[in-house]
């Protein structure tokens, strides 16, 4: 039975490789942000026919239809200056940072040593100031918080332990300057056994600031004989001490159900990387990759106040 918190848009999927102005294999796992002019920008992961990914921006006035897609890749791997991007750039998350008046884009740089976290700043999603690797491999699923915690910037990310017991859990790290990171703490642990989030977890969209705390949508992965199943759940963290988990939901709240989520390059994957808040201030639009193949969008009636 459906226990989804979200309602799928009837026009799903909203973006596929067929919509793209140039040839590609798949379009998925988009970061999302409302621009200052109210338009929605999705920074989509686009996989080419070599299997390598880059990022490409699509803009829409209503966040659902009439997407204007950049005619060429928006952010390509820059292998000469950033060899850690040799196998592509993937799965970005966007945070608008009012203090900098710029957007911070955290993304996976797929290096020869595995995936790491890279960071870039941009004003316009046309040029990017790259900071290079901020979390070395293996690490991914990162997003910056929109404001400082005390004196420090904070980033959520998901390092992977090399030994079975190391696991794949969600961490927070702090930085004075966006380049040097420390005070690393694990904030949410993958559960064990039969749980839907038993094998590995990772941040999905950037944290959402509400009056109750930082709301986290995270993905959980369970390994089955038929492969991995990705689902989405919720946790809430303290506003001034975001390493303190205040509450964690038990059931998942979003999972693969439709044909476009169950079938594709990687079956049974829903992988959100961005949310936006609609003009009513209450409706949350969640953008996700489905089956590593396309981009649908559901919305929820989740109440969000004081959204950064
Ligand atoms: C994760 C990431 C995502 C991908 C998912 C399912 O590890 O690599 O980019 O969508 O696996 O394949």
């Amino acid at each position: 039975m459906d226990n989804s918190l979200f309602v799928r848009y009837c026009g799903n999927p909203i973006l596929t490789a067929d919509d793209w102005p140039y040839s590609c294999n798949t379009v998925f796992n988009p970061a999302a942000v409302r621009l200052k002019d109210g338009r929605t920008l999705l920074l989509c992961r686009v996989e080419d026919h070599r299997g390598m990914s880059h990022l490409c921006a699509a803009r829409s006035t209503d966040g659902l239809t009439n997407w204007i897609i950049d005619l060429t890749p928006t952010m390509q791997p820059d292998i000469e200056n950033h060899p850690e991007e040799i196998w592509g750039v993937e799965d970005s998350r966007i945070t608008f940072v009012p203090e900098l008046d710029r957007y911070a884009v955290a993304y996976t740089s797929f290096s020869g040593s595995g995936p790491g976290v890279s960071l870039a700043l941009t004003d316009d999603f046309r040029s990017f100031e790259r900071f290079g690797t901020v979390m070395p491999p293996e690490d991914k699923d990162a997003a910056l918080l929109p404001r400082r915690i005390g004196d420090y910037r904070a980033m959520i990310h998901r390092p992977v332990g090399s030994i079975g017991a190391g696991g794949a859990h969600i961490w927070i790290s702090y930085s004075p300057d966006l380049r040097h990171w420390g005070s690393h703490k694990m904030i949410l642990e993958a559960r064990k056994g039969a749980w839907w989030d038993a094998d590995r977890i990772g941040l999905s969209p950037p944290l959402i600031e509400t009056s109750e705390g930082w709301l986290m949508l995270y993905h959980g992965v369970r390994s089955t004989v038929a492969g991995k199943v990705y689902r989405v759940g919720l946790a809430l963290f303290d506003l001034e001490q975001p390493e303190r988990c205040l509450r964690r939901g038990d059931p998942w709240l979003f999972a693969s159900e439709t044909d476009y989520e169950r079938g594709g390059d990687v079956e049974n994957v829903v992988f959100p990387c961005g949310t936006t808040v609609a003009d009513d201030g209450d409706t949350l639009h969640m953008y996700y990759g489905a089956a590593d193949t396309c981009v649908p969008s559901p919305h929820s009636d989740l109440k969000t106040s004081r959204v950064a």
Side-chain angles (χ1 to χ4, degrees):
M1 285 296 278
D2 181 16
N3 71 332
S4 181
L5 186 67
F6 292 92
V7 179
R8 285 170 179 79
Y9 173 56
C10 56
N12 277 348
I14 55 172
L15 289 169
T16 73
D18 290 341
D19 300 312
W20 237 246
Y22 53 90
S23 171
C24 61
N25 178 44
T26 44
V27 178
F28 56 114
N29 298 3
V33 72
R34 291 288 295 271
L35 299 171
K36 286 177 185 163
D37 63 11
R39 285 182 304 163
T40 297
L41 178 140
L42 301 185
L43 195 56
C44 299
R45 172 175 170 187
V46 178
E47 188 183 279
D48 64 25
H49 289 108
R50 301 170 304 162
M52 242 68 89
S53 294
H54 60 267
L55 305 176
C56 188
R59 296 169 175 82
S60 156
T61 302
D62 65 5
L64 294 169
T65 59
N66 297 318
W67 293 93
I68 297 173
I69 302 166
D70 282 358
L71 296 177
T72 54
T74 310
M75 193 194 208
Q76 285 271 33
D78 175 5
I79 297 167
E80 197 178 319
N81 298 307
H82 293 281
E84 69 275 9
E85 299 181 358
I86 187 161
W87 288 332
V89 293
E90 307 177 348
D91 300 357
S92 59
R93 275 83 169 177
I94 299 168
T95 306
F96 180 68
V97 184
E99 191 187 332
L100 303 174
D101 196 23
R102 296 175 89 187
Y103 302 93
V105 183
Y107 58 99
T108 300
S109 41
F110 198 166
S111 79
S113 303
V117 174
S118 290
L119 188 67
L121 294 179
T122 184
D123 296 315
D124 54 7
F125 294 94
R126 304 210 181 276
S127 65
F128 296 86
E129 181 191 353
R130 277 165 152 98
F131 284 62
T133 304
V134 290
M135 304 290 167
E138 183 177 340
D139 206 328
K140 53 166 66 172
D141 299 329
L144 196 70
L145 268 62
R147 62 171 174 83
R148 291 174 191 263
I149 302 298
D151 291 335
Y152 295 95
R153 308 277 179 204
M155 183 180 282
I156 309 291
H157 57 113
R158 201 287 303 280
V160 176
S162 57
I163 315 173
H169 315 297
I170 299 178
W171 289 60
I172 192 167
S173 300
Y174 297 92
S175 169
D177 58 4
L178 294 178
R179 290 188 187 277
H180 304 94
W181 293 87
S183 301
H184 313 289
K185 293 186 185 74
M186 185 168 74
I187 62 169
L188 198 71
E189 203 169 350
R191 286 185 271 214
K192 294 186 171 61
W195 281 95
W196 65 274
D197 52 358
D199 291 344
R200 46 176 56 204
I201 57 171
L203 178 72
S204 281
L207 297 187
I208 299 166
E209 188 171 10
T210 75
S211 52
E212 302 292 312
W214 295 101
L215 181 65
M216 176 190 282
L217 284 85
Y218 72 96
H219 57 267
V221 186
R222 183 174 174 195
S223 291
T224 74
V225 286
K228 293 186 191 309
V229 178
Y230 281 70
R231 301 184 179 105
V232 179
L234 290 176
L236 191 72
F237 295 85
D238 186 86
L239 280 177
E240 298 315 320
Q241 289 178 279
E243 59 259 26
R244 268 190 64 218
C245 182
L246 304 174
R247 251 172 279 163
R248 180 180 191 169
D250 281 345
W252 68 77
L253 292 166
F254 194 68
S256 299
E257 283 173 16
T258 63
D259 290 349
Y260 54 83
E261 293 159 348
R262 290 202 175 276
D265 273 6
V266 185
E267 295 175 353
N268 292 318
V269 176
V270 286
F271 200 90
C273 292
T275 55
T276 60
V277 178
D279 291 336
D280 64 10
D282 269 348
T283 306
L284 197 67
H285 287 257
M286 180 174 83
Y287 295 92
Y288 63 106
D292 283 9
T293 299
C294 62
V295 178
S297 168
H299 68 263
S300 85
D301 292 331
L302 208 62
K303 302 291 181 220
T304 53
S305 57
R306 266 215 315 138
V307 172

